[in-house]
Amino acid sequence: MKTAIILLSIAFMTFAKAQDSSRVTTSIGIELGPESTFVKDLYRSPYLYHGLNTYTALSLHRTAKKSFQSLRASCSFDKIQTSFSPKAPQDRIQLEYLYLRKVRDGSTWQLYVGPQLNVMAWQTNYFPEMEVPSYARVQSYMVNASLGLGMQANFQVSKRSSLSISASLPLASYVQRPHFLDGATLKPWGIGNLWNPNVRVIYSYSLSRKVAITVVYQYAYVHYAQPKAIRMLNNGLSIGLRFRL
């Protein structure tokens, strides 16, 4: 976690200081909507858990003539289950930072590419009603921090509406998982040991010069293979507001 904190500190300093000489536009956004979740975690359970949760997100964006920065925090606190198991409470918190440079500037669309930093913390208790000491609970968790590549394409649909498509993929990552009962050795550091593509499609319609309504679709997949595989798939659709500062 110390490494994750250091990476986040670097991201925040970059976000605060990285500026173009041109005028900078800053906006904040808030989102709320349903999210379907599928989890297969071989730490202790071989079954596929699923649930329909509610997630919220808060984002901060800075756009300059040649760059785009985004800081986004999201969270989900709900339950997942199989057809025969009790509902397992799960918590997920995610923080993502993008610093992208403009590589294509057209009259109707622009393309940005650059580094991406992502931090996620997730935990669940598969059998919450089991009366056992805390050390014997069937709990699992995952904390990961990754550094990779991100991109975003912006399309101007009309005078008031626009469409943005963003995607990111980690290259190097740190992963923390529980200690395994069979003595399997955790491999926390690695290049390419975490498969975590994220895709987001955002439709924005301006209500005024300062306020826009947004509809956001988000796809996120997590796969960590060694030594006990975990796979997580999330699909979310949210409605929100964006305020220009």
Side-chain angles (χ1 to χ4, degrees):
M1 285 302 292
K2 290 183 179 179
T3 304
I5 294 173
I6 293 173
L7 291 173
L8 283 176
S9 300
I10 295 173
F12 276 110
M13 287 188 293
T14 304
F15 189 83
K17 295 181 179 180
Q19 298 260 348
D20 289 336
S21 59
S22 58
R23 181 174 177 269
V24 176
T25 301
T26 304
S27 63
I28 59 173
I30 186 170
E31 305 165 27
L32 175 66
E35 177 185 65
S36 65
T37 300
F38 295 87
V39 178
K40 190 168 187 178
D41 179 10
L42 297 185
Y43 167 60
R44 283 195 182 180
S45 175
Y47 302 106
L48 180 65
Y49 280 72
H50 60 87
L52 184 62
N53 308 319
T54 301
Y55 84 98
T56 59
L58 183 66
S59 58
L60 176 64
H61 306 277
R62 268 188 168 180
T63 303
K65 184 178 180 180
K66 296 182 179 180
S67 67
F68 171 79
Q69 297 182 74
S70 172
L71 184 64
R72 187 175 189 272
S74 61
C75 61
S76 174
F77 305 98
D78 224 307
K79 297 179 180 179
I80 53 176
Q81 67 178 139
T82 67
S83 59
F84 56 86
S85 68
K87 292 183 178 181
Q90 70 154 1
D91 307 321
R92 190 181 85 249
I93 300 175
Q94 189 166 358
L95 186 65
E96 181 186 43
Y97 171 73
L98 292 166
Y99 178 71
L100 309 179
R101 299 293 295 183
K102 184 181 290 185
V103 297
R104 203 277 183 185
D105 188 5
S107 59
T108 57
W109 72 283
Q110 301 84 38
L111 179 64
Y112 299 82
V113 178
Q116 172 257 5
L117 174 67
N118 186 72
V119 177
M120 186 190 76
W122 169 88
Q123 71 88 28
T124 188
N125 179 7
Y126 289 111
F127 295 97
E129 300 174 359
M130 186 180 296
E131 295 183 1
V132 294
S134 58
Y135 66 84
R137 293 175 183 171
V138 189
Q139 290 181 316
S140 183
Y141 67 86
M142 181 178 186
V143 178
N144 68 69
S146 62
L147 182 64
L149 293 176
M151 61 80 65
Q152 178 164 306
N154 299 330
F155 302 89
Q156 193 66 38
V157 179
S158 67
K159 185 178 180 180
R160 286 181 172 265
S161 60
S162 62
L163 184 69
S164 298
I165 302 174
S166 65
S168 62
L169 186 68
L171 300 177
S173 61
Y174 166 83
V175 178
Q176 184 63 50
R177 295 275 281 142
H179 294 290
F180 301 105
L181 299 181
D182 61 1
T185 302
L186 180 72
K187 298 180 180 180
W189 296 96
I191 297 177
N193 68 333
L194 180 71
W195 175 245
N196 182 206
N198 282 265
V199 178
R200 191 173 299 119
V201 180
I202 305 171
Y203 173 78
S204 177
Y205 182 82
S206 297
L207 301 176
S208 67
R209 184 176 175 274
K210 293 285 189 178
V211 182
I213 187 171
T214 59
V215 179
V216 183
Y217 165 74
Q218 176 174 285
Y219 167 90
Y221 180 72
V222 180
H223 180 201
Y224 176 70
Q226 299 178 350
K228 301 290 186 180
I230 179 172
R231 292 180 174 88
M232 301 173 60
L233 174 63
N234 297 294
N235 281 281
L237 183 65
S238 64
I239 297 177
L241 291 173
R242 183 170 296 174
F243 305 91
R244 183 176 177 180
L245 303 180

